[in-house]
């Protein structure tokens, strides 16, 4: 073979293309499908007329549009995002309706503070202990009140509830708030990463709060 110059390769490629084009033009219409009519088929593969095929496509399109007539598609989110956006707008409107100078927190804010749990709260273990005692000791009275209010069906369901064992030791701080198992002996055998992580997070939040206070004083 040896070395071949570029213009020779181009000439050979052009000759091959011209020969293929001439062979296609010389072939009959049955072999090439030239000027052949479009074949329309239904879902079963049978041949149908063009009018019938167009009618099927229109029915399919009308069916897709009528599946969800009450739902309007929007860009930038789905149903959950829309609900979240509406809830945020309602909360913003509620806050905007309040006076600028507030001397006492409202009820909703107090409920949010009560539901918030901090890992370093010294009273958290006592609250969890009270919750555990109330669930075990007050089960009979709660079931009786439920039976009187909602009937025997709910009373039977309450009686079938299983009192699962809980760990008597206070849970160690972790960023996921995962409670320990009831077989845990109360000794932390980790490397202290969770404690260091939470301390770093609290230190960062403390610095941010101090920076914000300093900026407010400067204003």
């Amino acid at each position: 073979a040896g070395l071949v110059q570029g213009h020779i390769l181009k000439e050979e490629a052009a000759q091959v293309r011209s020969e293929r084009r001439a062979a296609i033009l010389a072939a009959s219409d049955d072999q090439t499908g030239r000027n052949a009519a479009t074949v329309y088929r239904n879902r079963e593969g049978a041949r149908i007329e063009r009018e019938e095929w167009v009618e099927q496509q229109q029915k399919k399109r009308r069916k897709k549009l009528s599946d969800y007539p009450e739902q309007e598609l929007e860009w930038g989110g789905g149903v959950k995002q829309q609900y979240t956006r509406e809830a945020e707008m309602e909360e913003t409107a509620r806050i905007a309706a309040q006076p600028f100078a507030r001397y006492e927190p409202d009820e909703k804010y107090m409920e949010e503070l009560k539901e918030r749990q901090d890992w370093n709260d010294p009273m958290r273990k006592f609250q969890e202990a009270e919750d555990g005692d109330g669930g075990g000791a007050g089960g009979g009275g709660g079931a009786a009140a439920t039976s009187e209010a909602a009937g025997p069906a709910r009373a039977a369901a309450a009686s079938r509830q299983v009192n699962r064992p809980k760990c008597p030791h206070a849970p160690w701080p972790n960023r996921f708030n995962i409670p320990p198992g009831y077989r845990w002996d109360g000794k932390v055998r980790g490397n202290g990463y969770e404690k260091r992580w939470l301390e770093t997070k609290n230190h960062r939040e403390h610095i941010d709060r101090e920076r914000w206070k300093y900026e407010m004083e400067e204003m």
Side-chain angles (χ1 to χ4, degrees):
L3 298 176
V4 180
Q5 297 181 356
H7 66 89
I8 298 177
L9 294 176
K10 290 183 180 180
E11 293 175 357
E12 291 180 354
Q15 183 179 359
V16 171
R17 286 195 297 269
S18 61
E19 291 177 357
R20 291 179 179 175
R21 187 179 299 107
I24 293 174
L25 294 175
S28 60
D29 294 346
D30 296 337
Q31 295 178 351
T32 60
R34 189 186 301 112
N35 299 325
T38 305
V39 178
Y40 298 94
R41 299 181 182 273
N42 56 12
R43 297 182 62 180
E44 288 75 16
R47 298 184 63 171
I48 58 176
E49 298 296 332
R50 184 179 185 280
E51 292 76 9
E52 186 177 356
W53 181 82
V54 172
E55 185 178 358
Q56 290 182 0
Q57 296 299 318
Q58 291 178 354
K59 288 182 180 179
K60 186 185 301 183
R61 184 177 181 182
R62 287 196 298 268
K63 183 178 179 181
K64 288 183 178 179
L65 293 177
S66 63
D67 285 342
Y68 307 98
E70 73 283 354
Q71 184 177 5
E72 297 180 0
L73 299 180
E74 299 180 359
W75 289 99
V79 178
K80 175 61 177 177
Q81 286 75 10
Q82 183 178 0
Y83 290 158
T84 304
R85 195 181 306 113
E86 292 177 356
E88 291 178 355
M89 292 176 62
E90 293 178 359
E91 182 66 16
T92 303
R94 186 186 67 84
I95 296 175
Q98 296 178 355
F100 181 76
R102 292 184 298 173
Y103 300 97
E104 295 182 359
D106 54 356
E107 296 180 359
K108 187 172 182 180
Y109 182 68
M110 292 299 296
E111 291 178 358
E112 293 178 356
L113 292 179
K114 290 180 181 178
E115 294 177 357
R116 187 183 303 172
Q117 293 184 357
D118 296 332
W119 67 270
N120 55 355
D121 186 3
M123 300 298 294
R124 180 179 177 182
K125 57 182 180 180
F126 298 103
Q127 182 66 30
E128 292 179 352
E130 291 179 0
D131 295 341
D133 295 340
T146 305
S147 61
E148 295 177 359
R154 294 189 59 182
S159 63
R160 289 195 300 267
Q161 291 182 356
V162 180
N163 294 326
R164 293 183 173 83
K166 296 182 64 177
C167 181
H169 306 283
W172 71 92
N174 61 88
R175 49 186 161 163
F176 303 109
N177 291 327
I178 300 176
Y182 68 93
R183 292 188 176 91
W184 183 51
D185 58 354
K187 182 178 180 180
V188 180
R189 295 175 175 82
N191 56 4
Y193 174 77
E194 294 291 333
K195 182 179 180 180
R196 294 194 302 270
W197 189 88
L198 292 172
E199 289 178 352
T200 304
K201 179 175 178 294
N202 291 342
H203 181 66
R204 189 182 299 113
E205 292 178 355
H206 174 71
I207 293 177
D208 293 340
R209 285 195 299 267
E210 293 297 328
R211 184 187 298 111
W212 180 80
K213 292 179 182 179
Y214 178 77
E215 292 175 355
M216 293 298 105
E217 292 177 357
E218 290 296 326
M219 293 177 62

